[in-house]
Amino acid sequence: MKKTAFLLLSVFAFISLHSQVLDPVKWKSKIEKKSDTEYVLIFDGVIEDEWHMYSQFTPEGGPLPTEILFNNADGNFEAAGKAEESETHTQFNDVFGVDETYFDKTVQLKQTIKITNPENNLVQAELFYQVCKEQCIMQNKYFEFDLKALTSKEVVEFGAAAVTPSGNQDEGNDKPATETPKPEKEDDLSLLGFFLLCFAGGFTALLTPCVFPMIPMTVSYFTKQSKTKAAGIKNAFFYGISIIVIYVVLGLAVSTIFGADALNELSTSVSFNLIFFILLLVFAFSFLGAFEIMLPNSWANKIDKQADRGGFIGIFFMALALAVVSFSCTGVIVGNVLVKASIEGGLAPVIGMLGFSSALALPFMLFAMFPGWLNSLPKSGGWLNTVKVFLGFLELAFAFKFLSNADLVLQAHILERETFLAIWIAVFATMALYLFGKITLPHDSPISSISVGRLSLGILTLAFTVYLIPGLWGAPLKLISGFPPPSTYSESPFGFGGAANSIGDKELPEGAKYAENGIISFEDYDRGLEYAKEVGKPVLLDFTGYACVNCRKMEQHVWSDPKILSILKNDVVLVSLYVDGTEKLPENQQYVSETTGKKIKTYAHKWSDLQISRYNVNAQPYYVLMHPETEENLNDPVGYTPDISEYEDWLTSGISNFK
């Protein structure tokens, strides 16, 4: 009985242990023939709930993009451009400061290849991708496609046995893959959030001198033209619908002409960021009153003539006239919505323009239906110009984010963290002085006093400016994490005077370097272990990744805490093993993993294999406190632990066991 119980416990322990090796994306593949020289390789994946897999077009500096790599392409075939992707979602990542593009629930990749050697019947393709939830995993999947039989199979390594859907090897499994899984329901919450964001943008556009004064003027026109109240309501409703149609058609046109992939690639380029920097500067100076941006008067005149025709055609051209006349105030907002929407792809351009135009059209419709409400509107005046100037200051600040993106890609070190923060401090300090009435601009009306609302906004702006100042001396500024360049991209990467000074004049140990927060770190397991033996401290193994979001969150929000930072600097030896690098292992150090059966060719694969074979875990971040002599765990390893107290308790318990 005891033996039976022991066996059952062993089985459960084995299952529990190995269930930690995560594989959140299940793949099926197939091949289609387009012509004698062209084939389409299709990869269909089902992603577990709450996990995200990242697109080929996710920007540099963020999570790792998906790649399709070919093993035997030389002289046999070539890829015809990037793979076609199924629907993606885009969301700003405040850790990396980029818009990450990802797949949710399902993914499909269609890669067209052109055959250059008719005698070759085999295509070997490798999928490399990152998938994240609270932890991140880098995955390599291998597929072989038979061009003659039009069949495909997933393999452990090229030339090996096929892998069944359960993950087991199945010799000779060469059956065609099943049909593509149907996409699940779209992420409605994401689209709803984007709609509301664009609706807020449309409402902001209403409060500008180009749009707001047109409400009573336009409604007065409809009141005079409509002979009955019912006709007035009908005409006002058609006017509002016309505004929405014009902007939605604009969104569809941009989506169709450019597409999500093209604009996404464009948005991550140096040239795009520089162009958008200049564009925002131009709009900012226009909002501040330096000059007026206007479309040619001939355009507006032609449209006005069409509006005089009356009827529904005339009303439609009245709506078009509103769009043209208000361009100088709405252009920059529409431009931001279109770029953001086109990068996200799918229905986003339509949803974005629908949200923006609905906010723009709604007041015209309501005030035309109920003319008596016009008396409740505030009169046009200097407050409209104040709103415009306020938006101008914001545009000026955000312009430097695009310049910073270009500088980071080029690694030109023109706009380092201190310079960026100094510019923002100057911009927001000037904005505060303007709101307090200490500075006036060309189109401002004389004021004898400021309102309570303007005073409150000025105080908030001044408080934000004061908050930014310590960042010049190395403060983390978590409130704007992702906007300025990272702390390592600065004149003083470890704070004013250099955090390295806090450890004295001692030279760095061989193979070590300064990591985030000025912590000494090793990136080689053996060197870190040897140093830990010399100094008699436990080892903190940090399985991490350059593109691991939650790894950066731990470093910025948990490791930066004074109590945690003191422990990491003084009580342990940190060994950070990156599982997503590309540096090759020397030929004589490459090997085949006994755990996965894969060929280990890079240092990243080596550390990933170490994590899987020793700890049966493949997600990052993953932290292990280890005795340097016996290499045994001092307590149970942990993953992503954003609670500072919990992480501190884990560290202190392991160090206590070591002592």
Side-chain angles (χ1 to χ4, degrees):
M1 183 67 184
K2 288 182 179 180
K3 289 183 179 180
T4 303
F6 175 79
L7 287 173
L8 287 172
L9 285 172
S10 299
V11 170
F12 284 126
F14 179 84
I15 293 172
S16 173
L17 188 64
H18 283 265
S19 66
Q20 296 178 58
V21 179
L22 304 174
D23 189 12
V25 187
K26 299 298 184 290
W27 292 96
K28 293 181 180 179
S29 61
K30 61 181 179 179
I31 182 170
E32 293 179 354
K33 184 175 181 179
K34 289 180 68 177
S35 68
D36 290 340
T37 58
E38 284 191 322
Y39 293 82
V40 181
L41 313 181
I42 302 174
F43 306 88
D44 289 309
V46 177
I47 307 170
E48 292 182 10
D49 288 345
E50 299 182 19
W51 288 87
H52 290 162
M53 174 183 158
Y54 297 94
S55 161
Q56 302 167 95
F57 307 104
T58 204
E60 290 184 14
L64 291 177
T66 294
E67 291 184 82
I68 300 178
L69 310 170
F70 294 101
N71 183 54
N72 63 329
D74 291 346
N76 294 317
F77 60 89
E78 59 184 23
K82 288 275 191 179
E84 180 185 336
E85 295 185 345
S86 57
E87 184 178 356
T88 57
H89 306 274
T90 300
Q91 183 174 341
F92 182 75
N93 187 312
D94 59 358
V95 175
F96 291 124
V98 297
D99 287 320
E100 58 186 23
T101 305
Y102 60 89
F103 301 99
D104 183 31
K105 297 181 181 177
T106 62
V107 52
Q108 184 180 76
L109 302 170
K110 290 184 176 182
Q111 177 66 66
T112 300
I113 60 170
K114 295 181 179 180
I115 304 303
T116 54
N117 178 12
E119 296 181 1
N120 179 67
N121 291 321
L122 181 66
V123 174
Q124 295 176 328
E126 175 187 352
L127 271 185
F128 171 75
Y129 58 92
Q130 183 177 26
V131 58
C132 295
K133 187 168 68 170
E134 287 186 348
Q135 295 174 307
C136 292
I137 302 168
M138 269 58 70
Q139 293 279 51
N140 298 76
K141 299 289 184 177
Y142 303 91
F143 300 86
E144 292 186 340
F145 298 86
D146 189 324
L147 302 181
K148 188 175 182 180
L150 293 181
T151 57
S152 66
K153 62 182 179 181
E154 182 184 343
V155 296
V156 175
E157 279 284 349
F158 294 128
V163 176
T164 65
S166 63
N168 299 320
Q169 286 182 279
D170 181 18
E171 196 71 48
N173 179 19
D174 201 30
K175 298 177 181 179
T178 58
E179 292 301 313
T180 305
K182 294 181 180 179
E184 294 195 26
K185 190 177 178 182
E186 193 176 273
D187 191 349
D188 295 326
L189 183 61
S190 176
L191 288 177
L192 176 61
F194 188 58
F195 174 86
L196 294 175
L197 185 67
C198 296
F199 187 88
F203 185 75
T204 302
L206 279 170
L207 302 176
T208 60
C210 313
V211 181
F212 187 85
M214 295 184 69
I215 297 176
M217 291 169 56
T218 307
V219 173
S220 176
Y221 167 83
F222 280 119
T223 304
K224 292 176 183 177
Q225 292 293 320
S226 304
K227 296 180 180 179
T228 64
K229 183 178 180 180
I233 292 175
K234 181 178 68 175
N235 290 341
F237 184 78
F238 184 78
Y239 181 67
I241 294 298
S242 297
I243 294 173
I244 293 173
V245 167
I246 289 168
Y247 280 101
V248 170
V249 168
L250 177 62
L252 277 172
V254 170
S255 177
T256 303
I257 294 170
F258 294 101
D261 293 346
L263 269 180
N264 190 51
E265 285 190 287
L266 182 66
S267 69
T268 61
S269 70
V270 172
S271 57
F272 173 86
N273 280 284
L274 290 176
I275 290 170
F276 218 70
F277 164 69
I278 295 171
L279 182 66
L280 288 185
L281 276 186
V282 170
F283 271 102
F285 287 127
S286 173
F287 278 30
L288 294 173
F291 48 83
E292 197 73 30
I293 299 175
M294 296 183 66
L295 291 176
N297 287 330
S298 58
W299 293 16
N301 292 336
K302 289 179 181 178
I303 293 171
D304 282 339
K305 288 180 181 178
Q306 294 295 327
D308 291 337
R309 295 172 58 180
F312 287 144
I313 294 177
I315 293 173
F316 178 81
F317 277 97
M318 278 284 294
L320 189 57
L322 169 68
V324 172
V325 172
S326 64
F327 172 79
S328 61
C329 290
T330 62
V332 68
I333 302 173
V334 171
N336 276 289
V337 170
L338 286 177
V339 170
K340 172 72 175 172
S342 298
I343 291 172
E344 184 151 345
L347 291 174
V350 176
I351 296 297
M353 287 294 96
L354 183 63
F356 177 85
S357 58
S358 296
L360 207 60
L362 191 60
F364 288 95
M365 294 170 60
L366 291 177
F367 284 116
M369 292 177 183
F370 308 100
W373 289 3
L374 282 173
N375 296 326
S376 63
L377 274 180
K379 303 299 180 183
S380 299
W383 68 272
L384 279 175
N385 191 66
T386 301
V387 172
K388 191 175 179 181
V389 170
F390 179 79
L391 292 175
F393 278 115
L394 290 181
E395 293 292 343
L396 187 60
F398 288 132
F400 285 93
K401 172 59 181 169
F402 289 93
L403 182 60
S404 173
N405 289 342
D407 184 56
L408 283 167
V409 172
L410 293 172
Q411 289 291 296
H413 289 269
I414 296 172
L415 195 64
E416 293 178 325
R417 185 179 177 89
E418 292 90 345
T419 310
F420 181 95
L421 290 175
I423 292 171
W424 267 39
I425 289 168
V427 169
F428 285 104
T430 307
M431 184 197 291
L433 290 174
Y434 174 79
L435 291 171
F436 290 139
K438 301 300 181 182
I439 295 175
T440 56
L441 290 171
H443 300 298
D444 286 327
S445 303
I447 55 171
S448 56
S449 62
I450 60 174
S451 65
V452 174
R454 182 167 172 169
L455 175 65
S456 301
L457 189 57
I459 292 172
L460 285 175
T461 305
L462 180 61
F464 180 69
T465 306
V466 174
Y467 170 79
L468 293 176
I469 293 173
L472 295 172
W473 289 272
L477 303 181
K478 296 178 183 179
L479 188 64
I480 58 168
S481 175
F483 273 91
S487 59
T488 52
Y489 193 78
S490 64
E491 296 177 9
S492 181
F494 304 111
F496 185 71
N501 292 340
S502 64
I503 63 169
D505 297 327
K506 185 176 63 173
E507 292 185 3
L508 279 172
E510 184 181 355
K513 69 173 206 175
Y514 288 114
E516 187 79 17
N517 304 302
I519 305 168
I520 294 179
S521 172
F522 292 84
E523 293 184 3
D524 181 85
Y525 178 83
D526 294 325
R527 286 184 176 178
L529 198 66
E530 191 63 34
Y531 180 73
K533 292 176 183 177
E534 290 177 14
V535 297
K537 294 180 181 179
V539 173
L540 173 59
L541 280 186
D542 166 32
F543 289 98
T544 184
Y546 295 108
C548 171
V549 176
N550 285 332
C551 302
R552 300 294 85 77
K553 286 183 178 179
M554 287 292 294
E555 292 163 6
Q556 294 175 13
H557 300 288
V558 178
W559 286 13
S560 61
D561 180 82
K563 293 179 289 185
I564 304 296
L565 192 56
S566 176
I567 294 173
L568 297 181
K569 284 186 174 182
N570 303 310
D571 300 331
V572 299
V573 174
L574 177 64
V575 180
S576 295
L577 303 178
Y578 288 84
V579 302
D580 58 354
T582 58
E583 185 180 356
K584 293 279 186 181
L585 281 166
E587 286 284 346
N588 61 352
Q589 294 183 28
Q590 296 182 11
Y591 63 96
V592 175
S593 170
E594 295 181 0
T595 305
T596 65
K598 294 181 178 179
K599 182 74 177 288
I600 305 302
K601 302 176 183 178
T602 66
Y603 284 98
H605 289 160
K606 179 180 179 180
W607 306 137
S608 179
D609 185 54
L610 173 66
Q611 184 185 9
I612 293 172
S613 60
R614 183 178 292 185
Y615 303 108
N616 295 288
V617 173
N618 63 339
Q620 295 79 43
Y622 191 70
Y623 305 106
V624 182
L625 274 171
M626 187 180 76
H627 197 292
E629 298 289 348
T630 63
E631 300 185 39
E632 293 180 353
N633 295 352
L634 296 171
N635 54 7
D636 292 332
V638 297
Y640 178 59
T641 312
D643 186 285
I644 293 174
S645 298
E646 184 181 343
Y647 194 72
E648 182 189 11
D649 291 343
W650 177 78
L651 284 172
T652 53
S653 69
I655 294 169
S656 176
N657 291 337
F658 173 76
K659 293 178 178 179

